[in-house]
């Protein structure tokens, strides 16, 4: 009897763990409360706020050429808007890494920042072709940061004094 009960507990634990979603991936909705820069925003859910670092993109830093334009572009897209955030974990600063979709029109905000020339594509895997195509289109049209003949990627800008 004890063996059967123990086996039942083990099976229950295994099934429960196998079907439970990972704790670092979730989807939530809220209203954008603040835009920090071209790829970071704060989303309010009731009394709670979540800081979200947008996946698949890298916008210019605030003190970098194009940084203020990128911040303003993201503000125009989402300030005060309801959004859905699909997270893929957290970064080393504790921010949610997420895909941001503006509601109710379902605009993919991450993609739009690249398409409008306000961020570099940094997608990997299945998302890469779509984001790379958006970046190439912005480069060809010479819009946003691509008006500059040789814009400096944020990953280079951040380490310019090293």
């Amino acid at each position: 009897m004890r063996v059967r009960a123990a086996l039942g507990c083990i099976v229950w634990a295994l099934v429960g763990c196998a079907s439970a979603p990972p704790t670092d991936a979730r989807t939530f909705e809220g209203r954008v409360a603040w835009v920090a820069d071209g790829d970071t925003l704060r989303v309010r859910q009731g009394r709670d706020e979540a800081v979200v670092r947008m996946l698949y993109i890298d916008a210019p830093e605030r003190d970098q050429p194009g940084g203020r334009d990128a911040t303003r572009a993201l503000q125009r897209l989402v300030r005060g808007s309801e959004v859905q955030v699909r997270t893929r974990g957290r970064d080393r600063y504790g921010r949610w890494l997420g895909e941001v979709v503006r509601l109710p029109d379902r605009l993919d905000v991450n993609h739009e920042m690249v398409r409008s020339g306000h961020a570099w594509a940094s997608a990997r895997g299945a998302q890469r072709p779509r984001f790379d195509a958006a970046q190439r289109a912005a480069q060809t049209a010479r819009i946003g940061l691509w008006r500059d003949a040789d814009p400096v990627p944020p990953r280079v800008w951040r380490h310019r004094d090293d």
Side-chain angles (χ1 to χ4, degrees), residues 3-152:
V3 172
R4 185 179 292 172
L7 284 174
C9 288
I10 290 170
V11 169
W12 180 83
L14 289 174
V15 169
C17 289
S19 63
T23 58
D24 62 347
R26 66 186 190 123
T27 299
F28 62 88
E29 293 181 4
R31 184 172 300 277
V32 175
W34 180 66
V35 172
D37 56 29
D39 53 24
T40 308
L41 49 90
R42 189 172 291 168
V43 177
R44 181 172 292 134
Q45 314 162 276
R47 293 182 185 205
D48 297 327
E49 287 189 348
V51 178
V52 178
R53 169 61 171 81
M54 296 166 66
L55 279 173
Y56 313 132
I57 71 171
D58 198 8
E61 298 298 324
R62 294 179 82 176
D63 63 338
Q64 178 179 356
R68 286 180 148 184
D69 289 341
T71 301
R72 285 193 288 265
L74 185 55
Q75 287 171 337
R76 283 191 302 271
L77 287 171
V78 299
R79 186 185 317 163
S81 296
E82 289 288 326
V83 295
Q84 179 185 71
V85 180
R86 293 185 301 259
T87 69
R88 300 290 181 266
R90 293 182 185 258
D91 67 8
R92 65 180 177 211
Y93 305 108
R95 301 175 297 187
W96 287 104
L97 299 170
E99 299 171 74
V100 179
V101 176
R102 185 176 68 194
L103 301 174
D105 65 353
R106 310 289 306 160
L107 176 73
D108 180 337
V109 178
N110 305 47
H111 187 263
E112 181 62 21
M113 288 296 289
V114 174
R115 192 201 64 74
S116 64
H118 294 292
W120 274 262
S122 67
R124 295 188 178 108
Q127 295 293 331
R128 185 172 185 168
R130 190 167 72 95
F131 278 82
D132 285 354
Q135 180 172 312
R136 281 192 304 276
Q139 288 170 313
T140 300
R142 299 192 60 77
I143 58 175
L145 60 94
W146 304 110
R147 285 181 285 221
D148 186 337
D150 193 24
V152 177

